[in-house]
Amino acid sequence: MMSLEKEPPAVHAYNLIEKVLFQPTHFNRKKLQQELSGKTILITGASSGIGEQVAYMLKDLPVHLILVARREENLRYIKNEIEKAEAAVTIYKADLRIDDDLNVVVQLIRALPEGLDVVISNAGLSINRSIHQSLDRVHDFTRTMAINYFAPVKLLLALIPLLEKSQGQIVNVSTINSLLIPIPNWAAYQASKTAFDTWFRSVAIELKASCVDTTSIYLPLVKTDMIRPTAAYDRMPAMCPNHVAEIICKSLYTKRKKYRPWWLLFGQLASIVCRGGLERVMTKVNERKGDPRAGS
């Protein structure tokens, strides 16, 4: 059994730099309730981090939350905590990379008498690894594409008819990497997230004609389990999952098409400028290694 000592991350535990980078989000809880009352909301990747915090933020509303993730114990704990409040919760243990698991989730959602109103596509996988460390690890790319691209595509293809019927909304929890110049060590992650971002923005035009709203949430680093394996991130500014949950919840009644940090434009310009510098650094590294292609 999961320990009852589990607690959500501290709310907005920001240092001075983070307070400047991640400015407060103010949302109207009354408007949120008016928009969502009686609705059914699917959240993937709901057992921790952003998905978990969105679920907690909706716990006091008369909604039906469908929480999907691989860690069943976490899901059971979250369900028990939320059902002490107002929301009803259904949990499904599923690895969305596995077709059988995904199909079971789809069948169960299709069988719901109330239908489906909102999908928050949050499940994902991050990999930070040099291409030279990946030469015999093609699975880094297949598994990243499986969860970051193919899983949400398959899920949404199956659920779009339900969302068209309810004139619902899809929220894609994405990354600023999708909007930046490609950078070293992120080939698997950046390619997979950019692939789904492109797919999503493309189908958004068609979905709008069917009265389905779409929202893309472009995030920098977030303090979740996903970044913990990379020690360097401990010293880098990162958003609090609670703050991200506020941004997502606000988008559920504003229907805002996208969220991006206010400083992203400067980051995009910096990524272009730094690209040349990175290439020169990598060339020097290869020269030191005696790579004959370095000077070509």
Side-chain angles (χ1 to χ4, degrees), residues 14-15 17-18 21-22 128 176 183 186 220-223 227 230-239:
Y14 286 157
N15 59 37
I17 294 176
E18 289 171 333
L21 293 176
F22 315 129
N128 178 8
I176 61 172
I183 55 178
W186 289 98
L221 283 178
V222 182
K223 298 172 184 177
I227 71 170
T230 306
Y233 291 157
D234 293 340
R235 301 182 299 274
M236 296 180 67
M239 292 189 78

Side-chain angles (χ1 to χ4, degrees), residues 10-251:
V11 178
H12 303 336
Y14 286 157
N15 59 37
L16 180 59
I17 294 176
E18 289 171 333
K19 287 179 180 178
V20 173
L21 293 176
F22 315 129
Q23 297 180 352
T25 297
H26 303 286
F27 71 93
N28 187 315
R29 190 167 291 276
K30 184 177 180 180
K31 287 184 179 180
L32 184 67
Q33 179 165 346
Q34 289 173 342
E35 175 63 33
L36 296 183
S37 182
K39 292 189 174 182
T40 300
I41 302 162
L42 168 65
I43 306 174
T44 66
S47 62
S48 65
I50 296 169
E52 176 186 12
Q53 295 309 308
V54 172
Y56 282 137
M57 197 154 289
L58 299 175
K59 67 183 177 63
D60 294 318
L61 303 183
V63 297
H64 180 192
L65 299 178
I66 302 175
L67 309 182
V68 176
R70 291 180 296 163
R71 291 177 286 186
E72 186 173 11
E73 285 190 349
N74 287 32
L75 289 175
R76 289 190 180 280
Y77 177 87
I78 295 166
K79 173 182 169 70
N80 290 337
E81 289 298 300
I82 290 176
E83 288 191 333
K84 295 175 184 177
E86 178 73 15
V89 181
T90 301
I91 60 172
Y92 297 140
K93 176 185 179 296
D95 185 338
L96 297 179
R97 295 172 296 184
I98 301 173
D99 283 343
D100 287 346
D101 282 14
L102 189 148
N103 291 336
V104 167
V105 171
V106 168
Q107 290 169 10
L108 291 169
I109 293 174
R110 284 176 171 172
L112 293 173
E114 68 269 26
L116 181 67
D117 300 284
V118 178
V119 174
I120 299 175
S121 180
N122 171 66
L125 175 67
S126 176
I127 293 180
N128 178 8
R129 181 169 288 127
S130 162
I131 193 64
H132 294 99
Q133 296 175 328
S134 303
L135 298 179
D136 58 350
R137 295 178 59 91
V138 69
H139 60 278
D140 282 351
F141 301 91
T142 55
R143 65 178 178 157
T144 309
M145 287 294 289
I147 189 62
N148 291 348
Y149 178 67
F150 288 113
V153 167
K154 291 176 183 178
L155 185 65
L156 290 178
L157 288 176
L159 298 181
I160 281 173
L162 296 179
L163 294 168
E164 289 178 329
K165 185 176 181 180
S166 65
Q167 297 186 358
Q169 181 178 6
I170 305 168
V171 178
N172 175 35
V173 181
S174 190
T175 171
I176 61 172
N177 293 56
S178 299
L179 304 176
L180 298 176
I181 295 293
I183 55 178
N185 300 335
W186 289 98
Y189 178 70
Q190 199 162 3
S192 62
K193 294 296 283 188
T194 302
F196 184 67
D197 178 64
T198 300
W199 182 91
F200 188 64
R201 288 188 290 117
S202 176
V203 302
I205 302 169
E206 300 177 64
L207 292 175
K208 187 62 177 177
S210 301
C211 297
V212 176
D213 292 299
T214 57
T215 301
S216 295
I217 308 289
Y218 296 102
L219 299 173
L221 283 178
V222 182
K223 298 172 184 177
T224 66
D225 293 342
M226 188 180 292
I227 71 170
R228 285 177 184 169
T230 306
Y233 291 157
D234 293 340
R235 301 182 299 274
M236 296 180 67
M239 292 189 78
C240 177
N242 306 80
H243 190 179
V244 176
E246 289 178 351
I247 292 168
I248 292 171
C249 287
K250 184 171 183 177
S251 77

